[in-house]
Amino acid sequence: MRNARNALLVAMSLLAPALALAQVSVHIDRPGVHIGINVSAYPTLQRVPGYPVYYAPAVRTNYFFYDGLYWVYEGGEWQASSWFNGPWQRVDRFDVPVSLLRVPVRYYRAPPADFRAWRADAPPHWHEQWGASWAERRVDWDRWEPRSAPAPAPLPVYQRAYSGQRYPVPEQQAVIQVQRYQYQPRDAVAKRVFEERKEEAKHANKVKKVKAKKHDRDGDSTPPGLRRDERGMPEHAKGKAKGHDRDDDRDRGPPKHAKGKAKGHDRDDDGRDRGPPEHAKDKGKGH
């Protein structure tokens, strides 16, 4: 019995690492988180020297750009967005890229109070901030060679044209991003966000095609009685106007229904009267 129990314990210990790996996943909240900031215009971004990260010196919050995404550290949480003014998605602290975690304290424009106790040229003490369980899973996050850092992602400067009232809604953001920004991210979080944007863009384009087909099938939705021809005349008025047509805005003479009545009293081309009408000639012979 004891040997069987020992064998079972050994088997469970061998399976534990595999189960742990199988449960690893990137956790990102759905977009729409309100984080209390409003970046109304595309911000000026400067490279953090020696890091593949940009920061925004004029934005009064901890605002960064890394691997194709904008990042904000606010209220002890990291938020990410593919557009400079959100919507934002909360990223689990276990999934925040190490390149962001290594950025020195001096580049946090609104550092929390406990950050000020740490060296300005060193990264925040995340192992103290988030506890032992985080430190166990993010081993060596603060050990790296600057020369091994990846190249920074290109800035999505096309977004400068979408400030203020022109800022697009999420569905439009996805379509514009897929068309204008061809960067392929490296980090798991950015890859996940980019895949979601591609799916959103596909859905938006599909809806657009369905609407276009419906419009082509249904044709003009204007009620027949209110449609107008190329001259701006309502269709229901065309029949009434036939008796008095005009050609190139010049009067072509009396209307057709009046021509028969005028035959009894014709005039020569020079306007001279040709005498009494024919039906009155016989009556005048006897007198």
Side-chain angles (χ1 to χ4, degrees):
M1 179 67 70
R2 180 177 298 175
N3 290 337
R5 182 183 300 171
N6 291 339
L8 179 61
L9 292 173
V10 171
M12 291 179 64
S13 65
L14 292 174
L15 286 172
L19 291 172
L21 287 175
Q23 294 172 355
V24 172
S25 63
V26 176
H27 180 76
I28 309 174
D29 284 352
R30 297 300 301 165
V33 178
H34 178 69
I35 59 176
I37 67 168
N38 180 36
V39 185
S40 59
Y42 187 82
T44 299
L45 296 168
Q46 294 182 6
R47 175 90 178 270
V48 177
Y51 295 79
V53 181
Y54 291 84
Y55 78 107
V59 178
R60 299 304 301 173
T61 190
N62 306 309
Y63 190 102
F64 303 93
F65 179 83
Y66 168 70
D67 203 27
L69 296 179
Y70 302 89
W71 297 80
V72 170
Y73 181 70
E74 184 74 21
E77 299 287 352
W78 282 96
Q79 318 285 343
S81 175
S82 57
W83 278 71
F84 67 87
N85 198 27
W88 301 93
Q89 298 171 264
R90 189 185 69 85
V91 180
D92 192 281
R93 62 188 62 178
F94 292 101
D95 299 318
V96 179
V98 292
S99 293
L100 277 173
L101 298 175
R102 293 167 178 165
V103 172
V105 170
R106 66 161 49 99
Y107 297 101
Y108 286 75
R109 307 304 297 164
D114 48 357
F115 279 34
R116 298 186 178 96
W118 303 327
R119 287 175 47 188
D121 60 345
H125 297 187
W126 297 112
H127 55 289
E128 298 178 10
Q129 190 82 356
W130 288 332
S133 62
W134 182 88
E136 290 175 1
R137 285 179 56 178
R138 304 301 299 267
V139 179
D140 296 334
W141 68 270
D142 57 345
R143 300 176 186 176
W144 67 299
E145 280 290 334
R147 290 177 296 180
S148 64
L155 294 174
V157 292
Y158 69 92
Q159 295 183 10
R160 288 175 179 164
Y162 300 95
S163 299
Q165 297 297 323
R166 298 195 62 195
Y167 197 75
V169 297
E171 293 79 9
Q172 295 172 333
Q173 290 179 3
V175 174
I176 297 170
Q177 179 180 338
V178 170
Q179 293 174 347
R180 302 288 303 276
Y181 195 59
Q182 305 304 317
Y183 173 72
Q184 299 299 319
R186 297 179 298 266
D187 185 80
V189 173
K191 286 181 178 179
R192 171 78 175 273
V193 173
F194 273 52
E195 286 300 320
E196 290 178 355
R197 294 296 171 271
K198 288 180 181 179
E199 292 301 318
E200 291 173 3
K202 287 180 182 179
H203 177 71
N205 288 328
K206 186 181 296 185
V207 170
K208 185 178 180 180
K209 289 181 180 179
V210 170
K211 289 182 178 179
K213 287 182 179 179
K214 185 177 184 302
H215 182 271
D216 293 341
R217 184 176 65 252
D218 296 344
D220 190 356
S221 60
T222 306
L226 299 179
R227 294 177 186 171
R228 293 179 176 271
D229 64 5
E230 65 277 3
R231 295 180 296 174
M233 180 179 294
E235 290 184 347
H236 64 271
K238 289 181 180 179
K240 298 179 181 179
K242 286 182 178 179
H244 196 279
D245 293 334
R246 291 179 178 271
D247 185 17
D248 297 333
D249 294 331
R250 292 176 297 179
D251 199 337
R252 296 186 300 179
K256 293 178 181 179
H257 61 270
K259 288 183 178 179
K261 298 180 179 180
K263 285 183 178 179
H265 197 278
D266 295 333
R267 292 178 178 271
D268 290 332
D269 293 338
D270 57 0
R272 293 176 297 175
D273 198 340
R274 295 185 299 178
E278 293 182 0
H279 62 270
K281 289 181 179 179
D282 294 337
K283 296 181 179 180
K285 288 181 180 179
H287 193 277

